[in-house]
Amino acid sequence: MRKLFVVMSVLIVASMLLSACGAPATAAAPQTIIQTQVVVVTPTTAPAPAIASKDTTTLTYADSDVSIDTLDPALAYDTASGEIIQNVYDTLIFYDGSQAAKFVPLLADSWTISPDGKTYTFKLHPGVKFHNGDAMTASDVAYSFQRGLLQSGSASPQWLFAEPFFGVGNQDVAAVVSAKVSKAVDAQADTLVAAVDVTKFDAAAYTKLFTDFAAAYTKTAGYAVDAAKTLGTDPNKKAIDDLVKGLAAAKDEAAKKALIKTAITSMLGAADGGDPTALQDDRTTMPKVDPAILKDVADMVMKAIVADDAAGTVTMTLAQPWGPFLPSIAQTWGSVMDKKWVASNKGWDGSDATWQNFYGVVSADDPFSAIENGTGPFTLTSLKQQEQYTLDAFPGYFKGAPKLQHIIAKAVPEWGTRFAMMTAGDADVATVPAANRSQMDALVGEKCTYDTAAGAYKPCEVTDANKPLRVYLGQPPIAMDVINFNWKIASDPKSPNQYIGSGKLDGNGITPDFFADLNVRKAFAYCFDFDTLINDVYKGEAIQATGLPLPGMPGFFADTPHYSFDLAKCADAFKASTLMGADGKSLWDTGFRVQMLYNQGNQTAQTMAEILAGSLAKVNPKFKVEILGLPWASYLAAQRAHLIPIMRAGWQEDIHDPHNWYQPYTSSGGAYSGRAGLPKDLTAQFDAILSKGVTETDPAKRAVIYKDANQLYYDQAVGVPLVLPTSHGFRQRWVMGEVLNPLFPGFHYYEMYKQ
Amino acid sequence: MTTFIIRRLLLVPVLLFGVTVVIFGMMMLLSPTERSALYIRDFPKNEAALPGIIKQYGLDDPFYLQYWHWMVGRADPVSGERKGGILFGDFGFSRTASEPVVTLIKDRFPNTLDLTIWAVAPVILVGIWLGVQAAVHHNGIIDQAARIFSIVGTSFPTFVFGLLMLMLFYATLHWFQPGRLSDVNLRIISQPGFNHYTSLITFDALLNGRFDIFLDAIRHMVLPILTLSYISWATFLRVTRSSMLETLRMEYVTTARAKGLKESDVIYKHAQPNAMIPVVTLAGFQVISLLGGVVITETVFNYPGIGSAAARAAVSLDVVAVLGFALFDGLILIVANLIVDILYAVVDPRVRLS
């Protein structure tokens, strides 16, 4: 018994000691996915002898999660899905090594661009096979792009194709259908009104006319408008009486008919279901639209993308020249699918009469969410959501079989477990939270540093031959956070916005148009302490952003005018504000209180808010910014309701192009500009510049155009681009051959091998 | 007893109905936007899809209509096919898992059941044995050691203890890997030649004659079972010990000793069965808890059980999955309680199920 007691006591003490040594990080630490940190890698050193790869044919990736949304390349828009798609499907062209904006042939051997910049002809590589053995044809390529455009939907990345093919501002095929529906409905109104006898026009005649018009609209637009219900409302009854009385004053028959047409179209537009532009994402109504219009739209798409199977070419004709067209087709949404395979798996058959049944599909209803049949170097052999997926080498790959035979991506949510896997050598790469980098740094024996000037990594340097890991440092990212202001904060007297305090400028709140004041925006911009953010959150591994365009793209200038931390200028800008408090005092004397929101768990966003709040309080103790974390779902709901006064607005680029940055933040159709309530005259100015910039194909000329956008963004202090955190990624040293490109959605395994 | 069982089984649908109404009602407190937030995988890029999602799935319909659709499903606007409907065995589509909830449960629950089956003996029987030993050697060295052991076990956070085990036995000694099975064997069991008779890997491995896979599966369960056991032993030990001590002081035990029975007979035949009633209750809860999934242990050892999936769904406000898991857990709870009630009658003849 004594012996047992002693053994147990020793065990307990040892456990306590080990526990103290190995305190794990909490699960809430911010996650940095290291595989997105990118480099061209040329390590030449052999791995440390202490740990050798157990299996050189299999690469194991311990990720915090491996759930994907969908394997349908036309629908996938998340990084996790893109990572698999990139390895199992191929695109016409691909990135040239680590270059984000240079491309090399892949499925296309070559391509030509017409002098007007609108027509692209791709000559396809012969003999390419899909994983099921089907030969890839030009028809498959054309079909894949046609399918994407017609499938569209806001959940998809197809807006990147919709604009070049349908015209600037058209972000979904629904916009094209809606425009045609509107035109057809207008013509129907003309026809019906033309038949009206204005000499006998009364309320009864109006009722018949509107009923006929609504019936015609329902048949054309697919939406059911209840004419009797619409006509029966009191305001509409009054409007009809007013119209009938007003007709007497009209000077002639044409004027009378114009009034009648305006009346019926306005009444229809205000009725339930009377708005054909609501078609976006409406899968119920799209199939009910007039078949002639649907066929017309499909034929338009098919004429724009034409295959010549005999010649092995595909020709794409754009609505206008499009500067970033090649970057757009190099991403996963430009992947080529097997038309025959898609049709045989309950997908679109390629007919212009059936596409509407597949419009706006979401991943839960998409038959291609969990299966693949690409031409890529790997095949997906198993997929268990939230657990792991396995890719196996495709021996028939047209560029030659990959060196790695198997890729296993495992979901390992707990950092301590991932760390143990890396330590044991069972994982070749792992997702490392920023807070835990120091644990990994202790195991680094080889360091690769990015040379910003050269745009490439310097040769890697061995720092300790006995340590197992390699670290990549210093490459700029493709994602950035921006502080966005809400120029038109929603606030209803019946349900006041809790985030703007009293809703008045009385020292205890702000008015809904507080951030419409240029000086206030400038003051906030000057008050942001970039260095503290860089040092506290990113441990010095970040640089201040100077504008929306990132290094390496047209429109990026190191000397772009930008705001820097300056408390004196911050104070001056507040003092220059013409906003007056409720008692007639200046903003400076009155002060304000506002809440800055972030989504719970996002420690970076929380720290950003704390930094800003701290600076503002230093400038004037009457400036109070309260920080509030909301669960993601509630945060999203508050954003959608335009309730959040000031927010962190992050973006990860789809393509390395300034249009991809300015469009969301400043254009009339941008995701963030709408949320920020930017005034129409300002978005119109940006729209004009962006339209000019995106339709220009000469990079030098584009740079000059986007310089204007940079200036306008700065002058108006539209937002505050924050910092560019640089890479800090780890690999086992036996992982070789990796091409790291910022635009890859994860690893591109084809070039990789293990030593 | 048959009447009792039938009556309890007839109550199952009523209880499940109550469970679903309560949970569904709680979920409805969230706005349609909040309940559809998970469709936004890449904010703000596809956020514009939300109104379409809300319309397509009728998330702004009245409560009773949404509940009805959840029960019987609704027609797909395009194909006209029925989608959803728990009465048809369709629990809906989990956005966090990107697969149907039923598939998720089918994937995860067998792993949890497998772990539970192999964990029950070490967790419960060893705990009871330790408790009996502590009681029998009241205030002796074994009792003192067991009490220290139980205090440490109770106060040791599962998370810390699990990671400790992992760093020691995996990262350092390379004995036991995390996960469900080694990569090689995972590949083998996904091949057509391996038959999935029960979906429980250990049993299927034996039925397929693959003792190596069986051993591999057991090896992967050693650390989770050890962690669960250590954390649970403390509770079993303390409950069994106090119950045994109380029983050992009963007069009939003194009588048994006075009759000259062997001490082992007195303890194991006379005292222990009567001391087991509170332990059976505890064991029932323990099994229910194991079957519902052990989130922290599964997470630390990367064991793909149902607990971590359910926790993730809850944290992400994956309404459909939460409802599905709640229904499933409710079912387990009801059935397990029924079994515990029956066991009472078996353990203690004084309990009559009437």
Side-chain angles (χ1 to χ4, degrees):
Chain A
M1 288 305 133
R2 183 182 296 273
K3 191 177 173 187
L4 179 63
F5 182 78
V6 171
V7 168
M8 287 177 69
S9 303
V10 169
L11 182 65
I12 290 161
V13 172
S15 301
M16 295 294 192
L17 286 172
L18 280 167
S19 169
C21 295
T26 62
Q31 302 273 307
T32 300
I33 300 172
I34 59 172
Q35 92 280 6
T36 57
Q37 298 160 357
V38 182
V39 217
V40 178
V41 188
T42 51
T44 53
T45 52
I51 295 180
S53 172
K54 294 170 184 169
D55 178 1
T56 54
T57 64
T58 302
L59 185 137
T60 302
Y61 174 21
D63 199 353
S64 55
D65 185 19
V66 294
S67 298
I68 62 158
D69 187 32
T70 174
L71 289 175
D72 184 344
L75 179 59
Y77 205 7
D78 60 311
T79 310
S81 303
E83 179 160 26
I84 299 182
I85 292 170
Q86 181 182 246
N87 286 289
V88 300
Y89 282 96
D90 275 334
T91 46
L92 289 173
I93 59 171
F94 198 57
Y95 298 94
D96 183 3
S98 64
Q99 300 295 314
K102 285 186 181 170
F103 304 95
V104 291
L106 190 57
L107 289 177
D109 277 341
S110 61
W111 63 90
T112 58
I113 306 170
S114 65
D116 66 359
K118 287 168 69 175
T119 305
Y120 288 71
T121 303
F122 297 92
K123 174 77 178 163
L124 302 181
H125 188 82
V128 177
K129 300 268 188 198
F130 289 102
H131 295 159
N132 67 352
D134 288 352
M136 187 199 75
T137 64
S139 291
D140 290 318
V141 177
Y143 166 82
S144 301
F145 282 88
Q146 291 163 358
R147 176 177 176 271
L149 277 170
L150 293 172
Q151 187 169 291
S152 279
S154 300
S156 82
Q158 292 298 326
W159 68 278
L160 289 151
F161 288 147
E163 279 200 297
F165 281 103
F166 298 142
V168 184
N170 286 314
Q171 299 196 2
D172 193 285
V173 71
V176 183
V177 176
S178 294
K180 286 185 180 290
V181 166
S182 296
K183 200 174 163 191
V185 169
D186 193 60
Q188 285 161 352
D190 283 339
T191 307
L192 288 169
V193 172
V196 166
D197 181 355
V198 291
T199 60
K200 296 175 186 169
F201 194 80
D202 56 10
Y206 184 91
T207 299
K208 183 179 181 314
L209 173 67
F210 185 77
T211 306
D212 292 345
F213 181 48
Y217 168 81
T218 298
K219 207 172 165 189
T220 306
Y223 288 108
V225 170
D226 187 336
K229 187 181 163 193
T230 308
L231 289 163
T233 66
D234 288 341
N236 282 350
K237 279 181 189 168
K238 186 176 178 305
I240 296 166
D241 285 343
D242 291 347
L243 170 70
V244 172
K245 286 174 196 163
L247 284 181
K251 60 179 180 180
D252 57 19
E253 185 177 332
K256 287 178 181 175
K257 288 192 171 178
L259 283 174
I260 294 169
K261 186 187 169 190
T262 305
I264 59 169
T265 50
S266 303
M267 195 175 285
L268 180 78
D272 285 344
D275 178 13
T277 62
L279 263 180
Q280 173 115 10
D281 296 316
D282 190 341
R283 295 185 61 213
T284 311
T285 308
M286 185 64 91
K288 296 178 190 163
V289 171
D290 181 1
I293 291 177
L294 294 173
K295 185 176 181 305
D296 194 24
V297 172
D299 291 344
M300 186 186 91
V301 169
M302 289 173 185
K303 275 181 198 160
I305 304 166
V306 178
D308 184 340
D309 283 329
T313 59
V314 175
T315 303
M316 301 185 189
T317 306
L318 311 183
Q320 67 281 299
W322 197 256
F325 186 64
L326 289 178
S328 300
I329 65 169
Q331 270 291 10
T332 53
W333 40 87
S335 297
V336 175
M337 297 179 83
D338 181 352
K339 180 180 177 181
K340 200 169 77 179
W341 174 79
V342 174
S344 65
N345 281 286
K346 297 186 180 175
W348 179 47
D349 60 2
S351 158
D352 59 3
T354 57
W355 69 270
Q356 62 274 14
N357 297 327
F358 302 90
Y359 167 72
V361 69
V362 293
S363 56
D365 301 328
D366 188 345
F368 306 98
S369 280
I371 56 174
E372 65 86 11
N373 179 34
T375 59
F378 290 91
T379 59
L380 180 72
T381 45
S382 76
L383 171 64
K384 274 208 168 187
Q385 297 276 11
Q386 295 189 347
E387 287 184 43
Q388 75 171 44
Y389 64 78
T390 310
L391 305 175
D392 282 356
F394 175 42
Y397 188 52
F398 76 99
K399 290 178 74 178
K403 298 178 187 86
L404 289 168
Q405 294 303 301
H406 313 288
I407 309 295
I408 299 173
K410 296 184 181 202
V412 186
E414 170 49 41
W415 157 247
T417 316
R418 296 200 297 277
F419 179 66
M421 289 174 74
M422 286 295 278
T423 311
D426 284 339
D428 299 298
V429 283
T431 302
V432 183
N436 297 99
R437 284 175 182 164
S438 56
Q439 278 175 279
M440 296 288 270
D441 280 333
L443 302 175
V444 166
E446 187 179 348
K447 198 158 103 179
C448 312
T449 311
Y450 191 78
D451 183 344
T452 311
Y457 273 83
K458 295 174 195 166
C460 299
E461 172 194 352
V462 177
T463 52
D464 186 338
N466 291 314
K467 289 187 174 174
L469 300 186
R470 181 188 307 127
V471 66
Y472 296 107
L473 299 167
Q475 191 179 31
I478 58 163
M480 181 170 66
D481 286 325
V482 174
I483 289 181
N484 249 16
F485 309 109
N486 188 347
W487 297 36
K488 211 163 60 183
I489 304 163
S491 186
D492 182 351
K494 286 179 190 166
S495 58
N497 183 342
Q498 57 187 310
Y499 308 126
I500 56 171
S502 64
K504 296 172 193 162
L505 206 54
D506 56 1
N508 196 32
I510 58 167
T511 52
D513 61 352
F514 182 70
F515 287 109
D517 185 274
L518 175 61
N519 284 307
V520 168
R521 297 195 302 275
K522 282 186 174 176
F524 270 71
Y526 280 124
C527 254
F528 193 84
D529 186 348
F530 298 90
D531 288 342
T532 300
L533 179 69
I534 290 169
N535 293 324
D536 287 5
V537 175
Y538 298 106
K539 312 294 177 203
E541 294 180 315
I543 48 174
Q544 186 188 336
T546 55
L548 290 179
L550 300 187
M553 62 174 63
F556 173 80
F557 299 94
D559 59 351
T560 291
H562 61 277
Y563 295 93
S564 298
F565 180 55
D566 189 329
L567 289 181
K569 284 184 179 172
C570 173
D572 289 346
F574 274 122
K575 285 174 186 165
S577 170
T578 53
L579 290 179
M580 302 295 276
D583 56 0
K585 286 184 184 171
S586 68
L587 170 62
W588 182 262
D589 292 330
T590 307
F592 62 80
R593 183 168 76 88
V594 66
Q595 289 194 325
M596 189 165 176
L597 277 63
Y598 69 95
N599 53 318
Q600 277 174 358
N602 188 332
Q603 291 181 353
T604 305
Q606 185 181 354
T607 310
M608 284 173 188
E610 287 166 355
I611 290 171
L612 188 58
S615 299
L616 288 165
K618 264 188 213 165
V619 165
N620 185 341
K622 290 179 181 170
F623 295 165
K624 296 181 275 285
V625 174
E626 295 165 358
I627 298 152
L628 178 66
L630 290 183
W632 164 243
S634 305
Y635 181 75
L636 179 68
Q639 276 221 24
R640 286 186 63 78
H642 297 259
L643 293 170
I644 301 182
I646 177 168
M647 71 200 93
R648 165 191 161 271
W651 184 257
Q652 178 170 320
E653 66 184 22
D654 305 297
I655 54 176
H656 200 60
D657 192 90
H659 185 71
N660 198 249
W661 282 94
Y662 271 111
Q663 195 278 343
Y665 285 102
T666 63
S667 78
S668 53
Y672 281 128
S673 44
R675 193 57 42 80
L678 298 189
K680 280 185 181 170
D681 57 339
L682 182 60
T683 55
Q685 288 180 65
F686 275 112
D687 282 349
I689 298 172
L690 300 191
S691 178
K692 217 167 127 187
V694 79
T695 53
E696 174 58 61
T697 53
D698 180 349
K701 289 180 183 168
R702 294 189 75 204
V704 174
I705 295 167
Y706 286 109
K707 197 168 190 176
D708 292 343
N710 295 344
Q711 190 66 48
L712 182 58
Y713 190 85
Y714 169 78
D715 289 345
Q716 289 297 320
V718 179
V720 188
L722 295 176
V723 298
L724 302 171
T726 52
S727 64
H728 193 130
F730 302 92
R731 310 284 186 272
Q732 298 282 5
R733 285 174 63 197
W734 57 64
V735 175
M736 312 294 279
E738 185 180 2
V739 173
L740 294 104
N741 186 307
L743 268 294
F744 288 175
F747 290 102
H748 190 251
Y749 296 110
Y750 181 65
E751 299 83 3
M752 295 169 75
Y753 64 96
K754 285 168 71 176
Q755 201 173 53
Chain B
M1 186 181 288
T2 313
T3 315
F4 171 80
I5 294 171
I6 291 171
R7 209 166 55 209
R8 289 292 294 268
L9 286 176
L10 285 174
L11 268 176
V12 167
V14 180
L15 288 169
L16 284 179
F17 175 74
V19 168
T20 58
V21 168
V22 169
I23 297 171
F24 201 88
M26 286 166 69
M27 288 297 174
M28 287 302 111
L29 294 175
L30 300 169
S31 69
T33 303
E34 286 171 306
R35 280 181 284 128
S36 54
L38 279 182
Y39 282 83
I40 305 309
R41 301 276 297 207
D42 198 359
F43 178 83
K45 295 181 178 178
N46 50 16
E47 186 225 346
L50 274 185
I53 298 289
I54 291 170
K55 185 177 178 187
Q56 185 183 340
Y57 295 109
L59 299 180
D60 49 1
D61 287 345
F63 171 87
Y64 61 87
L65 199 56
Q66 291 189 56
Y67 184 77
W68 177 248
H69 285 147
W70 183 57
M71 297 294 279
V72 301
R74 50 188 289 140
D76 182 83
V78 179
S79 67
E81 292 171 7
R82 179 187 52 74
K83 290 267 172 78
I86 57 166
L87 293 180
F88 299 96
D90 186 344
F91 283 29
F93 193 87
S94 162
R95 291 296 302 175
T96 45
S98 297
E99 63 185 0
V101 176
V102 170
T103 311
L104 185 60
I105 293 174
K106 275 184 186 166
D107 277 352
R108 295 299 189 99
F109 184 65
N111 292 338
T112 298
L113 185 60
D114 212 2
L115 182 66
T116 303
I117 288 169
W118 293 101
V120 160
V123 169
I124 298 176
L125 298 184
V126 174
I128 291 172
W129 181 80
L130 285 172
V132 171
Q133 294 307 312
V136 170
H137 300 93
H138 185 46
N139 286 338
I141 290 176
I142 290 183
D143 187 24
Q144 301 291 355
R147 280 158 70 183
I148 293 171
F149 188 67
S150 83
I151 289 168
V152 174
T154 309
S155 55
F156 228 137
T158 317
F159 183 71
V160 176
F161 185 77
L163 277 176
L164 212 61
M165 294 293 102
L166 195 72
M167 292 311 290
L168 181 64
F169 291 109
Y170 170 55
T172 308
L173 299 172
H174 302 265
W175 290 356
F176 305 112
Q177 282 185 319
R180 181 70 194 88
L181 214 53
S182 65
D183 294 334
V184 177
N185 288 330
L186 273 177
R187 188 171 281 274
I188 291 170
I189 67 165
S190 64
Q191 304 294 324
F194 189 90
N195 296 312
H196 296 266
Y197 301 105
T198 64
S199 296
L200 307 175
I201 292 178
T202 51
F203 290 85
D204 285 342
L206 291 174
L207 292 170
N208 279 274
R210 292 301 301 259
F211 200 66
D212 56 330
I213 296 179
F214 169 78
L215 283 180
D216 188 33
I218 293 290
R219 249 182 96 192
H220 279 79
M221 284 197 277
V222 167
L223 291 183
I225 289 175
L226 187 63
T227 305
L228 286 172
S229 298
Y230 184 48
I231 306 299
S232 310
W233 281 339
T235 317
F236 277 98
L237 185 149
R238 293 179 75 83
V239 171
T240 311
R241 178 179 176 276
S242 60
S243 182
M244 270 300 281
L245 282 176
E246 197 180 324
T247 310
L248 286 171
R249 290 186 194 116
M250 304 287 275
E251 288 179 355
Y252 77 90
V253 175
T254 312
T255 309
R257 282 183 176 136
K259 278 163 67 183
L261 286 179
K262 279 196 297 181
E263 185 62 14
S264 59
D265 284 354
V266 172
I267 292 167
Y268 296 112
K269 287 187 181 168
H270 289 257
Q272 189 175 329
N274 286 322
M276 283 301 104
I277 292 184
V279 183
V280 167
T281 310
L282 185 66
F285 281 121
Q286 183 68 36
V287 171
I288 292 168
S289 154
L290 286 172
L291 286 175
V294 278
V295 179
I296 296 173
T297 308
E298 286 175 13
T299 305
V300 169
F301 297 107
N302 212 35
Y303 189 88
I306 201 165
S308 50
R312 183 174 159 163
V315 168
S316 311
L317 287 182
D318 185 350
V319 176
V320 177
V322 167
L323 289 170
F325 282 123
L327 198 60
F328 186 72
D329 279 354
L331 197 63
I332 289 177
L333 191 71
I334 290 165
V335 173
N337 266 328
L338 179 64
I339 293 169
V340 169
D341 284 347
I342 294 167
L343 279 178
Y344 274 144
V346 176
V347 172
D348 185 353
R350 290 172 300 178
V351 176
R352 288 286 172 266
L353 302 175
S354 56

